[in-house]
Amino acid sequence: MVMKNIDAKLLQKCFLAGAQSIEAQKEYINELNVFPVPDGDTGTNMTLTIMSAAKEVGSIAEPTMENVAKAISSGSLRGARGNSGVILSQLFRGFTKEIKEQETIDVTIMATAFERAVETAYKAVMKPKEGTILTVAKAGAVKAEELVSETDDLIYFCEEVLKYMEEMLAKTPDMLPVLKEAGVVDSGGQGLVTVLKGAFDALCGKEVNITITPSAKPNVTASKESISSADIKFGYCTEFIVNVENHYDMETEHEFKSFLESIGDSIVVVSDDDMVKVHVHTNDPGLAIQRALTYGSLSRMKIDNMREEHEERLIKDAEKVAAEQKAAEEEEAKQAPRKEVGFISVSIGAGVNEIFKGLGVDYIIEGGQTMNPSTEDMLNAIDKVNADVIYILPNNKNIILAAEQAASLTEDKKIIVIPSKTIPQGITAIINYVFDKTAEENAAKMTEEMNKVKSGQVTYAVRDTSIDGMTITMGDIMGISDKGIVAVDKEIETTTLQLIDQLMDEDAELVSIYYGEEVSEEDANAIADAVTEKYPDVDVEVQPGGQPIYYYVLSVE
């Protein structure tokens, strides 16, 4: 079978088949996550991202390349969840930019679209570690370029590209030691290959189910794609938009990126028309800002560091009452005069919700470890807060990119994402907001104080694995700090106390213990008593968090 062109109708079919493919394999992909925590992670996030686009693509009755491309790009962009979902949406965004004005796709256009997809994703996440979804995507683009001069048969072309990507996927454990230790390939790369294999089956004419059935609306919860133990060398996560007013071309952008690399890492520079979105981790945000000001004015500024958290289940009968009450409050808030500043926070349980409300949060996105809020969830929250400047507290490493993506899509309000990685960081950040300071001054102060907080979580292992030099058996109780898994035992109390020991230092003044829905107040107080006995000069607070999955969320300040 030889095929030289793909039209819009076939592209639509291939995309829907790819979406169904990862939907069927999402649990397998979830199992590849390095950290054995009880959550959905990569497979769930990538599936929900592509399914958001698939709903739009599947509803097109008369497909054209333009309307299919637009549905893929906009649907995945708004539905992006978690880091892997945001990267997947950027791959789709780049690919569709290249094909949207074409009548059909041939080998040459396909190769160029692959290259554009990878370029767009790399611009969003600069300097990635080798052995990730981006590495696998890049391998596909390299192979595609190589094959252009060899064949005009799309079947052969796509088959060889896919083979090469699978070969690269198999090598990911050799690129990331943490993957090798756990004995798995990269989950994001596996997700991408799974999508493309489903699309390839449809391209070859195989009978595949492309009916998209709406998933049950998640209990908008929050997940954590992985509990990363990345080394943090730079203290400030700095982000802003440059509204280009002076000369700015590809050479200028290259020079700007080189400068940012000289002062930090985790660099993202995404140019779009007359705007440049910038993200950098650095010890001196002022240097990045000063250089950016030479290109134009700045907006949507923010500064910090990152991590994870989770979900809240409401009792069924109470859910309806709470929803009605919330709707009434939202309507009342919309009718109120527009205020200068508002706050949105992701939360994980009834107790934590109350803490954030008491601190002045206007809108809470209830989240959990099985589901990250999407970009669209963030946009809906932004719409509900009637304020000129809105601070978003993701409180989860894996929600930050979706919040930033929502910020970039908002035009009538100034959105500042404070990249809080944990609930304790979010609480500390909002406590340090000062009304008479500027938005930028507050962002810097909130970030600075938030980064002084050491966070920890206690949960159970869902599978056997080896990681961080530890052998973990399914059912073990794990203590996870900002540095990774630091305590493992069979007992919750023992693990929790070991974790607190790891978090403590000579400057510690306060230990906060937020106990989950499966923990009694009596047990939490017993932990607090043991900490007080061992560290008599440190204050200990116990508060009901109400979070599922994590027995305790801890902070040391």
Side-chain angles (χ1 to χ4, degrees):
M1 177 181 178
V2 175
M3 181 182 296
K4 295 189 177 182
N5 297 97
I6 296 174
D7 62 14
K9 189 171 184 179
L10 181 53
L11 176 65
Q12 180 188 43
K13 181 179 180 181
C14 290
F15 183 81
L16 296 176
Q20 289 289 13
S21 178
I22 194 169
E23 166 72 28
Q25 294 292 317
K26 67 182 178 184
E27 293 305 327
Y28 166 69
I29 296 166
N30 285 339
E31 287 295 313
L32 297 177
N33 285 295
V34 170
F35 285 83
V37 293
D39 56 21
D41 286 328
T42 308
T44 300
N45 286 327
M46 294 182 77
T47 297
L48 288 166
T49 298
I50 196 170
M51 281 299 178
S52 174
K55 279 184 254 183
E56 293 190 28
V57 173
S59 68
I60 298 173
E62 298 293 334
T64 65
M65 203 63 75
E66 183 178 8
N67 63 24
V68 171
K70 182 178 179 181
I72 292 172
S73 181
S74 64
S76 60
L77 189 72
R78 296 179 69 88
R81 295 175 188 264
N83 295 339
S84 60
V86 172
I87 292 171
L88 183 64
S89 74
Q90 291 296 317
L91 288 168
F92 287 148
R93 179 180 175 224
F95 185 89
T96 55
K97 273 187 176 181
E98 193 62 37
I99 66 166
K100 64 183 180 181
E101 295 180 359
Q102 308 294 333
E103 290 294 324
T104 59
I105 302 171
D106 59 17
V107 165
T108 301
I109 295 170
M110 183 71 81
T112 307
F114 261 91
E115 183 179 3
R116 185 81 173 268
V118 172
E119 285 176 356
T120 303
Y122 264 80
K123 281 183 179 180
V125 185
M126 223 184 124
K127 295 182 75 174
K129 291 181 180 178
E130 289 302 318
T132 66
I133 180 175
L134 287 173
T135 308
V136 176
K138 181 172 66 176
V142 169
K143 189 65 175 179
E145 184 180 6
E146 176 188 316
L147 289 167
V148 167
S149 60
E150 295 181 15
T151 183
D152 61 357
D153 178 10
L154 277 163
I155 298 292
Y156 173 76
F157 172 90
C158 292
E159 184 175 27
E160 291 301 307
V161 167
L162 192 50
K163 279 182 185 177
Y164 190 66
M165 292 176 72
E166 289 184 285
E167 290 173 15
M168 188 60 67
L169 175 64
K171 294 177 181 177
T172 54
D174 297 324
M175 303 176 202
L176 276 178
V178 70
L179 294 177
K180 177 162 276 191
E181 187 180 8
V184 296
V185 296
D186 177 68
S187 55
Q190 180 66 64
L192 178 60
V193 167
T194 300
V195 170
L196 295 181
K197 286 177 80 171
F200 181 69
D201 284 344
L203 185 68
C204 293
K206 291 184 181 178
E207 285 298 321
V208 291
N209 176 22
I210 60 171
T211 303
I212 303 298
T213 55
S215 305
K217 177 69 177 172
N219 199 15
V220 179
T221 48
S223 157
K224 46 150 244 6
E225 184 130 327
S226 64
I227 303 172
S228 173
S229 52
D231 295 327
I232 300 171
K233 292 190 282 187
F234 300 100
Y236 297 95
C237 172
T238 304
E239 295 184 65
F240 49 81
I241 298 286
V242 182
N243 302 301
V244 177
E245 295 161 359
N246 302 318
H247 176 74
Y248 190 91
D249 56 15
M250 291 303 295
E251 184 177 350
T252 309
E253 181 168 302
H254 179 73
E255 292 172 355
F256 186 30
K257 287 179 180 177
S258 297
F259 172 75
L260 294 176
E261 288 175 353
S262 73
I263 65 167
D265 66 5
S266 297
I267 295 153
V268 177
V269 178
V270 181
S271 303
D272 191 5
D273 297 328
D274 295 328
M275 293 196 327
V276 182
K277 185 174 181 179
V278 180
H279 170 286
V280 58
H281 290 179
T282 176
N283 287 325
D284 195 337
L287 292 176
I289 290 168
Q290 287 171 24
R291 175 60 69 94
L293 283 169
T294 64
Y295 308 128
S297 60
L298 307 186
S299 62
R300 296 178 185 171
M301 301 179 70
K302 123 189 156 10
I303 311 175
D304 177 8
N305 228 283
M306 32 227 114
R307 193 153 187 115
E308 111 257 89
E309 226 68 61
H310 96 244
E311 166 218 315
E312 222 269 304
R313 276 177 230 140
L314 256 45
I315 302 160
K316 281 188 176 179
D317 290 341
E319 243 175 24
K320 184 178 179 182
V321 175
E324 290 172 351
Q325 181 180 352
K326 188 174 183 179
E329 289 172 353
E330 289 171 2
E331 186 59 33
E332 183 180 344
K334 273 193 164 185
Q335 299 303 321
R338 191 172 176 108
K339 56 184 184 176
E340 290 184 11
V341 177
F343 295 90
I344 294 170
S345 178
V346 176
S347 187
I348 60 171
V352 177
N353 291 355
E354 290 306 311
I355 291 171
F356 277 122
K357 287 177 183 177
L359 292 172
V361 170
D362 299 276
Y363 190 94
I364 288 175
I365 301 176
E366 296 172 359
Q369 287 310 107
T370 56
M371 187 75 62
N372 290 145
S374 67
T375 298
E376 187 161 21
D377 292 327
M378 294 286 180
L379 290 170
N380 290 338
I382 289 168
D383 182 58
K384 302 247 182 355
V385 178
N386 192 16
D388 295 325
V389 178
I390 299 174
Y391 294 86
I392 299 181
L393 303 168
N395 301 332
N396 185 310
K397 177 184 177 180
N398 204 39
I399 300 174
I400 295 171
L401 279 180
E404 291 167 354
Q405 196 150 268
S408 70
L409 295 172
T410 302
E411 298 178 352
D412 62 334
K413 300 171 183 176
K414 181 174 185 176
I415 309 300
I416 299 176
V417 179
I418 303 294
S420 51
K421 296 186 238 176
T422 65
I423 290 294
Q425 282 191 344
I427 291 171
T428 297
I430 194 169
I431 286 173
N432 281 277
Y433 175 82
V434 179
F435 285 96
D436 60 358
K437 291 186 179 294
T438 66
E440 290 72 26
E441 288 172 336
N442 268 306
K445 182 64 174 177
M446 293 163 77
T447 297
E448 179 184 0
E449 295 303 319
M450 176 182 78
N451 286 331
K452 296 177 182 177
V453 177
K454 293 182 178 180
S455 303
Q457 300 87 27
V458 179
T459 188
Y460 57 93
V462 294
R463 58 181 174 274
D464 298 347
T465 191
S466 294
I467 190 169
D468 292 340
M470 298 181 179
T471 299
I472 298 170
T473 304
M474 185 173 70
D476 282 351
I477 308 300
M478 303 179 297
I480 305 165
S481 75
D482 300 328
K483 297 178 180 178
I485 300 172
V486 297
V488 178
D489 196 86
K490 300 296 182 183
E491 301 297 327
I492 296 172
E493 181 174 351
T494 303
T495 301
T496 304
L497 292 172
Q498 288 176 356
L499 174 58
I500 291 173
D501 286 340
Q502 291 289 326
L503 296 174
M504 295 294 285
D505 59 33
E506 59 184 13
D507 298 322
E509 297 177 351
L510 173 66
V511 175
S512 297
I513 300 172
Y514 304 89
Y515 60 91
E517 65 180 7
E518 296 182 34
V519 176
S520 69
E521 184 178 4
E522 181 182 2
D523 288 343
N525 285 330
I527 297 281
D529 291 342
V531 174
T532 299
E533 183 177 351
K534 187 169 184 178
Y535 303 98
D537 296 330
V538 175
D539 292 330
V540 182
E541 291 184 353
V542 176
Q543 302 202 49
Q547 70 273 6
I549 298 177
Y550 279 60
Y551 302 114
Y552 292 102
V553 172
L554 309 167
S555 70
V556 174
E557 303 173 59

